[in-house]
Amino acid sequence: MQQIQQLQNSINQYIANKRYGASPAELYDPIGYIMSLGGKRLRPCLLLMACDMFGGDVEQALAPALAIEVFHNFTLMHDDIMDKAPLRRGKPTVHEKWNANVAILSGDVMMVESNKLIMQVNDSILRPVLDVFNNTAVGVCEGQQIDMNFETRAIVGIDEYINMIRLKTAVLVGGALKMGALIGGATDSEGTLLYNFGEQLGIAFQLQDDILDVYGDPEKFGKQVGGDIISNKKTYLLIKALELAQGETLTQLNQWLAADDFDPAKKVEAVKSIYNQLGIRERAEAEMSQYAEKALQNFEKINLPDNRKTVLKEFADALLVREY
Amino acid sequence: MQQIQQLQNSINQYIANKRYGASPAELYDPIGYIMSLGGKRLRPCLLLMACDMFGGDVEQALAPALAIEVFHNFTLMHDDIMDKAPLRRGKPTVHEKWNANVAILSGDVMMVESNKLIMQVNDSILRPVLDVFNNTAVGVCEGQQIDMNFETRAIVGIDEYINMIRLKTAVLVGGALKMGALIGGATDSEGTLLYNFGEQLGIAFQLQDDILDVYGDPEKFGKQVGGDIISNKKTYLLIKALELAQGETLTQLNQWLAADDFDPAKKVEAVKSIYNQLGIRERAEAEMSQYAEKALQNFEKINLPDNRKTVLKEFADALLVREY
């Protein structure tokens, strides 16, 4: 069994050594660029851990693991165009550094590259692995579209929100784990248990992200604390607050949401105080714990000795106690 | 053996009955929309013809044939954003009818759908078919980027131009044929002969398109005759003219290329007259014939009875004598 750090080193080295096409440069340079911006490489690590857990050869899983990371970065490249984001991990986004056309087309070819990489598995599991990959990819696209739709909708339900983050974030976590399991020799039903574990873990992770955006330690949180409040992002917290707030509290919340010209710090403070009044943090944490609990129930059903399950279990635990 | 019309009917019916996802509507409606705009369905027909030629079951090839058409339309959807095209087959493009974000994301999910469709082949040929599909997809992306690069370059060589149209147009013709051949039971080397046939046929077809844009019958040509001249598009004709023109002729040609404010009909007439002076049409036709000839040489090497090869041969011949 390999420890997380070892797996992370392997995938980082594999990413650093990987060359995509060379010409035309406008098509391939952005791939090297976005892949070099770093990140925690969570998704490929999850694939490797799942493979290792079932006794598979981690070396053989590196190309499929990279496929997940290339696919993830393709979605980031296109999402950044759609969101008009100027920065990605503190560096100019591809459509800013080059232009939108380059970002569209480089993203397209990244998607093809990820398809080529995911195919580097044994013939016996090629079809099941590709089925997971394609279903995951469809889910991610649906999630992104639903997320964009939310921006122009006045009311979004909690169930709709959970479904959106499931699609946009969690199916890829589940998919990476299931693909890793299949590569490692797991049966389809073992793979499905791990998929469910990952999907629910992913939802819990995203709910935690929503919480940290408001309540995270500014010293440790990578992004601006309160960013979601400033931009009226429909997170679990805001949706729940709109559901629970009444009378004067609701009026105040709606005023802040409608405000065009405001002091960001004051808006964050005011909305946070409404959240506190309504006990939103506790509710969000309870919801998050529920998904973490469901995730673990699936994980426990996987019939492997505990010592094989430790690495992934510890990784999942660590994911959900971060303060950043 | 099925005749072209039968195959075309089969694929048209299959396209008309196909449903993609339902929700979110913004993601899936544009797929139904662009697929309903019609077109000659050349690429899926080629796949079916190749399958039929080798004695395969055309019914079983319909999903992979649709994969090619969905992939082709995905590239059109993204190309239209990049080219800022308002119309596609006389109807508003997806980014005009919805918006650019919808066109990006719908295109992305079409790419995934095409991957799912192309997988509907027997396990024994899944990997080789996917290899052709992925290599084709990479080629198309490279071709589109090279084409965009040409717009801002002063000088483009004939070889570079041929390579661009090979990637942007011809690899998909070759790929569709090779995939159809493999599905029909052809060996890899037979598939490769058909691929080469298709690639060279595709280049000839694109050269003919360049010729028809200037010399086509306005009654029959679907697009505005002279459109390439008006927009200074670097076609075979313009590149060759820039290569051959000297003295006063070159000065005149460059003046028309630099003109901001001009009468379109006058520009078309003047540039066409320069082309005529330089014998550009004859050169383009000679180049086109060379590729058609090379295509046929590959086709003849395929070891099948002539009666099995008639349909595809006639289709190819018809492709290259069109006046529209």
Side-chain angles (χ1 to χ4, degrees), chain A residues 26 28 78 82 101 108 115-116 119 121 123 127 130 142 145 149, chain B residues 26 28 78 82 101 108 115 119 121 123 127 130 135 142 145 149:
Chain A
E26 294 81 358
Y28 291 111
H78 279 190
M82 299 187 235
N101 286 357
D108 290 346
N115 275 302
K116 291 172 83 163
M119 284 182 63
V121 296
D123 281 350
R127 187 181 295 276
L130 284 170
E142 291 182 351
Q145 184 62 52
N149 289 352
Chain B
E26 293 81 359
Y28 291 111
H78 278 191
M82 297 186 238
N101 286 358
D108 290 348
N115 275 301
M119 282 181 65
V121 295
D123 280 352
R127 187 182 295 278
L130 284 170
N135 288 335
E142 290 182 352
Q145 184 63 53
N149 289 351

PDB file of all heavy atoms in Angstrom, chain A residues 26 28 78 82 101 108 115-116 119 121 123 127 130 142 145 149, chain B residues 26 28 78 82 101 108 115 119 121 123 127 130 135 142 145 149:
ATOM      1  N   GLU A  26      -0.664  27.293 -30.374  1.00  0.00           N
ATOM      2  CA  GLU A  26      -1.832  27.915 -29.727  1.00  0.00           C
ATOM      3  C   GLU A  26      -2.794  26.871 -29.177  1.00  0.00           C
ATOM      4  O   GLU A  26      -3.591  27.152 -28.290  1.00  0.00           O
ATOM      5  CB  GLU A  26      -2.604  28.800 -30.710  1.00  0.00           C
ATOM      6  CG  GLU A  26      -1.861  30.020 -31.192  1.00  0.00           C
ATOM      7  CD  GLU A  26      -0.887  29.687 -32.310  1.00  0.00           C
ATOM      8  OE1 GLU A  26      -0.773  28.495 -32.684  1.00  0.00           O
ATOM      9  OE2 GLU A  26      -0.221  30.620 -32.792  1.00  0.00           O
ATOM     10  N   TYR A  28      -1.732  23.692 -28.094  1.00  0.00           N
ATOM     11  CA  TYR A  28      -1.134  22.827 -27.082  1.00  0.00           C
ATOM     12  C   TYR A  28      -0.486  23.580 -25.917  1.00  0.00           C
ATOM     13  O   TYR A  28      -0.446  23.071 -24.805  1.00  0.00           O
ATOM     14  CB  TYR A  28      -0.152  21.853 -27.737  1.00  0.00           C
ATOM     15  CG  TYR A  28      -0.874  20.827 -28.597  1.00  0.00           C
ATOM     16  CD1 TYR A  28      -0.774  20.824 -29.984  1.00  0.00           C
ATOM     17  CD2 TYR A  28      -1.694  19.873 -28.005  1.00  0.00           C
ATOM     18  CE1 TYR A  28      -1.458  19.895 -30.759  1.00  0.00           C
ATOM     19  CE2 TYR A  28      -2.380  18.940 -28.773  1.00  0.00           C
ATOM     20  CZ  TYR A  28      -2.265  18.953 -30.147  1.00  0.00           C
ATOM     21  OH  TYR A  28      -2.951  18.038 -30.906  1.00  0.00           O
ATOM     22  N   HIS A  78     -13.006  25.817 -19.818  1.00  0.00           N
ATOM     23  CA  HIS A  78     -14.272  26.277 -20.406  1.00  0.00           C
ATOM     24  C   HIS A  78     -15.129  27.037 -19.380  1.00  0.00           C
ATOM     25  O   HIS A  78     -15.736  28.059 -19.716  1.00  0.00           O
ATOM     26  CB  HIS A  78     -15.042  25.090 -21.005  1.00  0.00           C
ATOM     27  CG  HIS A  78     -14.565  24.697 -22.370  1.00  0.00           C
ATOM     28  ND1 HIS A  78     -15.223  23.812 -23.187  1.00  0.00           N
ATOM     29  CD2 HIS A  78     -13.479  25.100 -23.073  1.00  0.00           C
ATOM     30  CE1 HIS A  78     -14.569  23.678 -24.338  1.00  0.00           C
ATOM     31  NE2 HIS A  78     -13.497  24.430 -24.275  1.00  0.00           N
ATOM     32  N   MET A  82     -16.866  30.924 -19.505  1.00  0.00           N
ATOM     33  CA  MET A  82     -18.283  31.184 -19.230  1.00  0.00           C
ATOM     34  C   MET A  82     -18.461  32.124 -18.036  1.00  0.00           C
ATOM     35  O   MET A  82     -19.350  32.960 -18.033  1.00  0.00           O
ATOM     36  CB  MET A  82     -19.008  29.857 -18.959  1.00  0.00           C
ATOM     37  CG  MET A  82     -18.956  28.898 -20.145  1.00  0.00           C
ATOM     38  SD  MET A  82     -19.976  27.416 -19.893  1.00  0.00           S
ATOM     39  CE  MET A  82     -18.769  26.141 -20.169  1.00  0.00           C
ATOM     40  N   ASN A 101     -11.200  32.082 -28.093  1.00  0.00           N
ATOM     41  CA  ASN A 101     -11.175  31.029 -29.114  1.00  0.00           C
ATOM     42  C   ASN A 101     -10.137  29.961 -28.789  1.00  0.00           C
ATOM     43  O   ASN A 101     -10.388  28.763 -28.941  1.00  0.00           O
ATOM     44  CB  ASN A 101     -10.884  31.628 -30.501  1.00  0.00           C
ATOM     45  CG  ASN A 101     -12.090  32.366 -31.056  1.00  0.00           C
ATOM     46  OD1 ASN A 101     -13.155  32.379 -30.428  1.00  0.00           O
ATOM     47  ND2 ASN A 101     -11.940  32.967 -32.220  1.00  0.00           N
ATOM     48  N   ASP A 108     -11.324  21.765 -26.021  1.00  0.00           N
ATOM     49  CA  ASP A 108     -11.849  20.652 -26.818  1.00  0.00           C
ATOM     50  C   ASP A 108     -10.805  19.557 -27.002  1.00  0.00           C
ATOM     51  O   ASP A 108     -11.100  18.369 -26.858  1.00  0.00           O
ATOM     52  CB  ASP A 108     -12.305  21.153 -28.199  1.00  0.00           C
ATOM     53  CG  ASP A 108     -13.554  22.025 -28.124  1.00  0.00           C
ATOM     54  OD1 ASP A 108     -14.213  22.037 -27.066  1.00  0.00           O
ATOM     55  OD2 ASP A 108     -13.862  22.693 -29.136  1.00  0.00           O
ATOM     56  N   ASN A 115      -9.766  11.434 -23.230  1.00  0.00           N
ATOM     57  CA  ASN A 115     -10.311  10.180 -23.757  1.00  0.00           C
ATOM     58  C   ASN A 115      -9.209   9.204 -24.152  1.00  0.00           C
ATOM     59  O   ASN A 115      -9.333   8.000 -23.956  1.00  0.00           O
ATOM     60  CB  ASN A 115     -11.189  10.457 -24.985  1.00  0.00           C
ATOM     61  CG  ASN A 115     -12.607  10.825 -24.604  1.00  0.00           C
ATOM     62  OD1 ASN A 115     -13.289  10.061 -23.931  1.00  0.00           O
ATOM     63  ND2 ASN A 115     -13.050  11.999 -25.015  1.00  0.00           N
ATOM     64  N   LYS A 116      -8.141   9.742 -24.722  1.00  0.00           N
ATOM     65  CA  LYS A 116      -7.036   8.863 -25.113  1.00  0.00           C
ATOM     66  C   LYS A 116      -6.345   8.284 -23.872  1.00  0.00           C
ATOM     67  O   LYS A 116      -5.979   7.112 -23.841  1.00  0.00           O
ATOM     68  CB  LYS A 116      -6.019   9.637 -25.971  1.00  0.00           C
ATOM     69  CG  LYS A 116      -6.562   9.998 -27.345  1.00  0.00           C
ATOM     70  CD  LYS A 116      -5.639  10.925 -28.116  1.00  0.00           C
ATOM     71  CE  LYS A 116      -4.535  10.162 -28.816  1.00  0.00           C
ATOM     72  NZ  LYS A 116      -3.903  11.022 -29.877  1.00  0.00           N
ATOM     73  N   MET A 119      -8.184   5.500 -21.983  1.00  0.00           N
ATOM     74  CA  MET A 119      -8.188   4.210 -22.692  1.00  0.00           C
ATOM     75  C   MET A 119      -6.981   3.343 -22.362  1.00  0.00           C
ATOM     76  O   MET A 119      -6.924   2.182 -22.771  1.00  0.00           O
ATOM     77  CB  MET A 119      -8.226   4.444 -24.208  1.00  0.00           C
ATOM     78  CG  MET A 119      -9.590   4.846 -24.721  1.00  0.00           C
ATOM     79  SD  MET A 119      -9.561   5.056 -26.514  1.00  0.00           S
ATOM     80  CE  MET A 119      -9.149   3.377 -27.045  1.00  0.00           C
ATOM     81  N   VAL A 121      -6.067   1.290 -20.347  1.00  0.00           N
ATOM     82  CA  VAL A 121      -6.416   0.248 -19.373  1.00  0.00           C
ATOM     83  C   VAL A 121      -6.519  -1.069 -20.147  1.00  0.00           C
ATOM     84  O   VAL A 121      -6.575  -1.060 -21.381  1.00  0.00           O
ATOM     85  CB  VAL A 121      -7.763   0.543 -18.683  1.00  0.00           C
ATOM     86  CG1 VAL A 121      -7.685   1.820 -17.842  1.00  0.00           C
ATOM     87  CG2 VAL A 121      -8.901   0.658 -19.708  1.00  0.00           C
ATOM     88  N   ASP A 123      -7.949  -4.350 -21.958  1.00  0.00           N
ATOM     89  CA  ASP A 123      -9.135  -4.531 -22.792  1.00  0.00           C
ATOM     90  C   ASP A 123     -10.345  -5.004 -21.992  1.00  0.00           C
ATOM     91  O   ASP A 123     -11.475  -4.613 -22.271  1.00  0.00           O
ATOM     92  CB  ASP A 123      -8.855  -5.564 -23.890  1.00  0.00           C
ATOM     93  CG  ASP A 123      -8.067  -4.961 -25.048  1.00  0.00           C
ATOM     94  OD1 ASP A 123      -7.916  -3.720 -25.058  1.00  0.00           O
ATOM     95  OD2 ASP A 123      -7.608  -5.713 -25.919  1.00  0.00           O
ATOM     96  N   ARG A 127     -14.458  -1.057 -21.711  1.00  0.00           N
ATOM     97  CA  ARG A 127     -15.821  -0.555 -21.842  1.00  0.00           C
ATOM     98  C   ARG A 127     -16.395  -0.055 -20.506  1.00  0.00           C
ATOM     99  O   ARG A 127     -16.916   1.062 -20.453  1.00  0.00           O
ATOM    100  CB  ARG A 127     -16.731  -1.603 -22.485  1.00  0.00           C
ATOM    101  CG  ARG A 127     -18.125  -1.068 -22.811  1.00  0.00           C
ATOM    102  CD  ARG A 127     -19.026  -2.127 -23.415  1.00  0.00           C
ATOM    103  NE  ARG A 127     -18.571  -2.594 -24.722  1.00  0.00           N
ATOM    104  CZ  ARG A 127     -18.839  -1.992 -25.878  1.00  0.00           C
ATOM    105  NH1 ARG A 127     -19.548  -0.881 -25.886  1.00  0.00           N
ATOM    106  NH2 ARG A 127     -18.393  -2.487 -27.014  1.00  0.00           N
ATOM    107  N   LEU A 130     -14.802   3.275 -19.614  1.00  0.00           N
ATOM    108  CA  LEU A 130     -15.268   4.363 -20.485  1.00  0.00           C
ATOM    109  C   LEU A 130     -16.719   4.742 -20.166  1.00  0.00           C
ATOM    110  O   LEU A 130     -17.081   5.918 -20.244  1.00  0.00           O
ATOM    111  CB  LEU A 130     -15.141   3.961 -21.951  1.00  0.00           C
ATOM    112  CG  LEU A 130     -13.727   4.007 -22.523  1.00  0.00           C
ATOM    113  CD1 LEU A 130     -13.698   3.361 -23.909  1.00  0.00           C
ATOM    114  CD2 LEU A 130     -13.221   5.451 -22.610  1.00  0.00           C
ATOM    115  N   GLU A 142     -23.911  18.831 -17.250  1.00  0.00           N
ATOM    116  CA  GLU A 142     -25.247  19.171 -16.752  1.00  0.00           C
ATOM    117  C   GLU A 142     -25.150  20.061 -15.512  1.00  0.00           C
ATOM    118  O   GLU A 142     -25.866  21.050 -15.378  1.00  0.00           O
ATOM    119  CB  GLU A 142     -26.036  17.896 -16.428  1.00  0.00           C
ATOM    120  CG  GLU A 142     -26.420  17.087 -17.668  1.00  0.00           C
ATOM    121  CD  GLU A 142     -27.257  15.850 -17.344  1.00  0.00           C
ATOM    122  OE1 GLU A 142     -27.409  15.493 -16.153  1.00  0.00           O
ATOM    123  OE2 GLU A 142     -27.764  15.214 -18.308  1.00  0.00           O
ATOM    124  N   GLN A 145     -24.305  23.644 -16.395  1.00  0.00           N
ATOM    125  CA  GLN A 145     -25.426  24.371 -16.984  1.00  0.00           C
ATOM    126  C   GLN A 145     -26.458  24.727 -15.903  1.00  0.00           C
ATOM    127  O   GLN A 145     -26.987  25.840 -15.874  1.00  0.00           O
ATOM    128  CB  GLN A 145     -26.090  23.526 -18.083  1.00  0.00           C
ATOM    129  CG  GLN A 145     -27.213  24.248 -18.820  1.00  0.00           C
ATOM    130  CD  GLN A 145     -26.735  25.489 -19.561  1.00  0.00           C
ATOM    131  OE1 GLN A 145     -25.801  25.430 -20.331  1.00  0.00           O
ATOM    132  NE2 GLN A 145     -27.358  26.637 -19.283  1.00  0.00           N
ATOM    133  N   ASN A 149     -27.791  28.354 -14.762  1.00  0.00           N
ATOM    134  CA  ASN A 149     -29.222  28.692 -14.716  1.00  0.00           C
ATOM    135  C   ASN A 149     -29.610  29.307 -13.369  1.00  0.00           C
ATOM    136  O   ASN A 149     -30.460  30.201 -13.313  1.00  0.00           O
ATOM    137  CB  ASN A 149     -30.078  27.444 -14.948  1.00  0.00           C
ATOM    138  CG  ASN A 149     -30.004  26.952 -16.382  1.00  0.00           C
ATOM    139  OD1 ASN A 149     -29.440  27.625 -17.247  1.00  0.00           O
ATOM    140  ND2 ASN A 149     -30.552  25.775 -16.639  1.00  0.00           N
TER     141      ASN A 149
ATOM    142  N   GLU B  26     -31.364  23.979 -21.587  1.00  0.00           N
ATOM    143  CA  GLU B  26     -30.360  24.827 -22.250  1.00  0.00           C
ATOM    144  C   GLU B  26     -29.187  23.996 -22.762  1.00  0.00           C
ATOM    145  O   GLU B  26     -28.465  24.420 -23.661  1.00  0.00           O
ATOM    146  CB  GLU B  26     -29.815  25.889 -21.286  1.00  0.00           C
ATOM    147  CG  GLU B  26     -30.807  26.927 -20.861  1.00  0.00           C
ATOM    148  CD  GLU B  26     -31.704  26.432 -19.736  1.00  0.00           C
ATOM    149  OE1 GLU B  26     -31.549  25.257 -19.297  1.00  0.00           O
ATOM    150  OE2 GLU B  26     -32.580  27.196 -19.301  1.00  0.00           O
ATOM    151  N   TYR B  28     -29.503  20.613 -23.721  1.00  0.00           N
ATOM    152  CA  TYR B  28     -29.893  19.606 -24.703  1.00  0.00           C
ATOM    153  C   TYR B  28     -30.689  20.148 -25.886  1.00  0.00           C
ATOM    154  O   TYR B  28     -30.611  19.600 -26.988  1.00  0.00           O
ATOM    155  CB  TYR B  28     -30.642  18.464 -24.003  1.00  0.00           C
ATOM    156  CG  TYR B  28     -29.716  17.660 -23.110  1.00  0.00           C
ATOM    157  CD1 TYR B  28     -29.821  17.689 -21.723  1.00  0.00           C
ATOM    158  CD2 TYR B  28     -28.706  16.883 -23.672  1.00  0.00           C
ATOM    159  CE1 TYR B  28     -28.949  16.969 -20.911  1.00  0.00           C
ATOM    160  CE2 TYR B  28     -27.833  16.164 -22.871  1.00  0.00           C
ATOM    161  CZ  TYR B  28     -27.965  16.210 -21.488  1.00  0.00           C
ATOM    162  OH  TYR B  28     -27.092  15.497 -20.701  1.00  0.00           O
ATOM    163  N   HIS B  78     -18.955  24.903 -32.123  1.00  0.00           N
ATOM    164  CA  HIS B  78     -17.833  25.654 -31.551  1.00  0.00           C
ATOM    165  C   HIS B  78     -17.166  26.549 -32.604  1.00  0.00           C
ATOM    166  O   HIS B  78     -16.797  27.692 -32.299  1.00  0.00           O
ATOM    167  CB  HIS B  78     -16.821  24.692 -30.914  1.00  0.00           C
ATOM    168  CG  HIS B  78     -17.208  24.263 -29.528  1.00  0.00           C
ATOM    169  ND1 HIS B  78     -16.370  23.592 -28.677  1.00  0.00           N
ATOM    170  CD2 HIS B  78     -18.365  24.436 -28.834  1.00  0.00           C
ATOM    171  CE1 HIS B  78     -16.991  23.361 -27.524  1.00  0.00           C
ATOM    172  NE2 HIS B  78     -18.196  23.844 -27.600  1.00  0.00           N
ATOM    173  N   MET B  82     -16.347  30.732 -32.657  1.00  0.00           N
ATOM    174  CA  MET B  82     -15.016  31.288 -32.941  1.00  0.00           C
ATOM    175  C   MET B  82     -15.044  32.207 -34.155  1.00  0.00           C
ATOM    176  O   MET B  82     -14.357  33.222 -34.186  1.00  0.00           O
ATOM    177  CB  MET B  82     -14.020  30.144 -33.166  1.00  0.00           C
ATOM    178  CG  MET B  82     -13.846  29.278 -31.931  1.00  0.00           C
ATOM    179  SD  MET B  82     -12.536  28.025 -32.124  1.00  0.00           S
ATOM    180  CE  MET B  82     -13.447  26.520 -31.825  1.00  0.00           C
ATOM    181  N   ASN B 101     -22.167  30.926 -24.076  1.00  0.00           N
ATOM    182  CA  ASN B 101     -21.952  29.924 -23.025  1.00  0.00           C
ATOM    183  C   ASN B 101     -22.723  28.641 -23.304  1.00  0.00           C
ATOM    184  O   ASN B 101     -22.212  27.539 -23.118  1.00  0.00           O
ATOM    185  CB  ASN B 101     -22.373  30.485 -21.660  1.00  0.00           C
ATOM    186  CG  ASN B 101     -21.368  31.492 -21.129  1.00  0.00           C
ATOM    187  OD1 ASN B 101     -20.348  31.740 -21.771  1.00  0.00           O
ATOM    188  ND2 ASN B 101     -21.647  32.059 -19.976  1.00  0.00           N
ATOM    189  N   ASP B 108     -19.726  20.815 -25.756  1.00  0.00           N
ATOM    190  CA  ASP B 108     -18.961  19.883 -24.920  1.00  0.00           C
ATOM    191  C   ASP B 108     -19.736  18.588 -24.695  1.00  0.00           C
ATOM    192  O   ASP B 108     -19.181  17.492 -24.786  1.00  0.00           O
ATOM    193  CB  ASP B 108     -18.634  20.527 -23.556  1.00  0.00           C
ATOM    194  CG  ASP B 108     -17.616  21.643 -23.669  1.00  0.00           C
ATOM    195  OD1 ASP B 108     -16.985  21.771 -24.739  1.00  0.00           O
ATOM    196  OD2 ASP B 108     -17.441  22.399 -22.686  1.00  0.00           O
ATOM    197  N   ASN B 115     -18.923  10.309 -28.130  1.00  0.00           N
ATOM    198  CA  ASN B 115     -18.108   9.229 -27.566  1.00  0.00           C
ATOM    199  C   ASN B 115     -18.955   8.040 -27.135  1.00  0.00           C
ATOM    200  O   ASN B 115     -18.557   6.890 -27.286  1.00  0.00           O
ATOM    201  CB  ASN B 115     -17.314   9.736 -26.355  1.00  0.00           C
ATOM    202  CG  ASN B 115     -16.020  10.398 -26.756  1.00  0.00           C
ATOM    203  OD1 ASN B 115     -15.182   9.782 -27.377  1.00  0.00           O
ATOM    204  ND2 ASN B 115     -15.866  11.665 -26.426  1.00  0.00           N
ATOM    205  N   MET B 119     -19.126   4.125 -29.148  1.00  0.00           N
ATOM    206  CA  MET B 119     -18.838   2.902 -28.392  1.00  0.00           C
ATOM    207  C   MET B 119     -19.807   1.768 -28.690  1.00  0.00           C
ATOM    208  O   MET B 119     -19.612   0.640 -28.228  1.00  0.00           O
ATOM    209  CB  MET B 119     -18.862   3.197 -26.893  1.00  0.00           C
ATOM    210  CG  MET B 119     -17.614   3.891 -26.389  1.00  0.00           C
ATOM    211  SD  MET B 119     -17.726   4.170 -24.617  1.00  0.00           S
ATOM    212  CE  MET B 119     -17.741   2.472 -24.002  1.00  0.00           C
ATOM    213  N   VAL B 121     -20.239  -0.515 -30.612  1.00  0.00           N
ATOM    214  CA  VAL B 121     -19.654  -1.480 -31.552  1.00  0.00           C
ATOM    215  C   VAL B 121     -19.258  -2.707 -30.731  1.00  0.00           C
ATOM    216  O   VAL B 121     -19.221  -2.648 -29.498  1.00  0.00           O
ATOM    217  CB  VAL B 121     -18.395  -0.903 -32.253  1.00  0.00           C
ATOM    218  CG1 VAL B 121     -18.755   0.276 -33.140  1.00  0.00           C
ATOM    219  CG2 VAL B 121     -17.322  -0.510 -31.238  1.00  0.00           C
ATOM    220  N   ASP B 123     -17.147  -5.505 -28.804  1.00  0.00           N
ATOM    221  CA  ASP B 123     -15.953  -5.387 -27.967  1.00  0.00           C
ATOM    222  C   ASP B 123     -14.667  -5.614 -28.754  1.00  0.00           C
ATOM    223  O   ASP B 123     -13.658  -4.961 -28.492  1.00  0.00           O
ATOM    224  CB  ASP B 123     -16.010  -6.420 -26.828  1.00  0.00           C
ATOM    225  CG  ASP B 123     -16.918  -5.939 -25.694  1.00  0.00           C
ATOM    226  OD1 ASP B 123     -17.344  -4.769 -25.744  1.00  0.00           O
ATOM    227  OD2 ASP B 123     -17.195  -6.737 -24.773  1.00  0.00           O
ATOM    228  N   ARG B 127     -11.551  -0.869 -29.202  1.00  0.00           N
ATOM    229  CA  ARG B 127     -10.330  -0.070 -29.094  1.00  0.00           C
ATOM    230  C   ARG B 127      -9.880   0.485 -30.449  1.00  0.00           C
ATOM    231  O   ARG B 127      -9.629   1.704 -30.556  1.00  0.00           O
ATOM    232  CB  ARG B 127      -9.209  -0.866 -28.414  1.00  0.00           C
ATOM    233  CG  ARG B 127      -7.967  -0.022 -28.112  1.00  0.00           C
ATOM    234  CD  ARG B 127      -6.842  -0.843 -27.467  1.00  0.00           C
ATOM    235  NE  ARG B 127      -7.191  -1.345 -26.145  1.00  0.00           N
ATOM    236  CZ  ARG B 127      -7.105  -0.633 -25.019  1.00  0.00           C
ATOM    237  NH1 ARG B 127      -6.667   0.607 -25.045  1.00  0.00           N
ATOM    238  NH2 ARG B 127      -7.442  -1.167 -23.859  1.00  0.00           N
ATOM    239  N   LEU B 130     -12.176   3.349 -31.455  1.00  0.00           N
ATOM    240  CA  LEU B 130     -11.957   4.545 -30.631  1.00  0.00           C
ATOM    241  C   LEU B 130     -10.633   5.221 -30.970  1.00  0.00           C
ATOM    242  O   LEU B 130     -10.535   6.457 -30.930  1.00  0.00           O
ATOM    243  CB  LEU B 130     -11.996   4.184 -29.147  1.00  0.00           C
ATOM    244  CG  LEU B 130     -13.391   3.945 -28.577  1.00  0.00           C
ATOM    245  CD1 LEU B 130     -13.292   3.361 -27.164  1.00  0.00           C
ATOM    246  CD2 LEU B 130     -14.186   5.250 -28.527  1.00  0.00           C
ATOM    247  N   ASN B 135      -8.026   9.989 -32.828  1.00  0.00           N
ATOM    248  CA  ASN B 135      -7.017  10.606 -33.696  1.00  0.00           C
ATOM    249  C   ASN B 135      -7.666  11.581 -34.681  1.00  0.00           C
ATOM    250  O   ASN B 135      -7.114  12.635 -34.984  1.00  0.00           O
ATOM    251  CB  ASN B 135      -6.226   9.536 -34.447  1.00  0.00           C
ATOM    252  CG  ASN B 135      -5.295   8.790 -33.511  1.00  0.00           C
ATOM    253  OD1 ASN B 135      -4.889   9.320 -32.476  1.00  0.00           O
ATOM    254  ND2 ASN B 135      -4.972   7.553 -33.852  1.00  0.00           N
ATOM    255  N   GLU B 142      -6.769  20.440 -34.468  1.00  0.00           N
ATOM    256  CA  GLU B 142      -5.529  21.043 -34.980  1.00  0.00           C
ATOM    257  C   GLU B 142      -5.816  21.841 -36.260  1.00  0.00           C
ATOM    258  O   GLU B 142      -5.327  22.961 -36.426  1.00  0.00           O
ATOM    259  CB  GLU B 142      -4.471  19.966 -35.259  1.00  0.00           C
ATOM    260  CG  GLU B 142      -3.910  19.334 -33.991  1.00  0.00           C
ATOM    261  CD  GLU B 142      -2.827  18.288 -34.265  1.00  0.00           C
ATOM    262  OE1 GLU B 142      -2.599  17.939 -35.436  1.00  0.00           O
ATOM    263  OE2 GLU B 142      -2.206  17.825 -33.280  1.00  0.00           O
ATOM    264  N   GLN B 145      -7.443  25.195 -35.514  1.00  0.00           N
ATOM    265  CA  GLN B 145      -6.510  26.169 -34.957  1.00  0.00           C
ATOM    266  C   GLN B 145      -5.577  26.700 -36.044  1.00  0.00           C
ATOM    267  O   GLN B 145      -5.309  27.912 -36.124  1.00  0.00           O
ATOM    268  CB  GLN B 145      -5.694  25.542 -33.822  1.00  0.00           C
ATOM    269  CG  GLN B 145      -4.751  26.519 -33.122  1.00  0.00           C
ATOM    270  CD  GLN B 145      -5.495  27.654 -32.429  1.00  0.00           C
ATOM    271  OE1 GLN B 145      -6.393  27.420 -31.643  1.00  0.00           O
ATOM    272  NE2 GLN B 145      -5.145  28.898 -32.747  1.00  0.00           N
ATOM    273  N   ASN B 149      -5.089  30.489 -37.324  1.00  0.00           N
ATOM    274  CA  ASN B 149      -3.769  31.129 -37.387  1.00  0.00           C
ATOM    275  C   ASN B 149      -3.517  31.769 -38.752  1.00  0.00           C
ATOM    276  O   ASN B 149      -2.885  32.825 -38.846  1.00  0.00           O
ATOM    277  CB  ASN B 149      -2.660  30.114 -37.108  1.00  0.00           C
ATOM    278  CG  ASN B 149      -2.631  29.679 -35.657  1.00  0.00           C
ATOM    279  OD1 ASN B 149      -3.327  30.238 -34.815  1.00  0.00           O
ATOM    280  ND2 ASN B 149      -1.838  28.668 -35.360  1.00  0.00           N
TER     281      ASN B 149
END
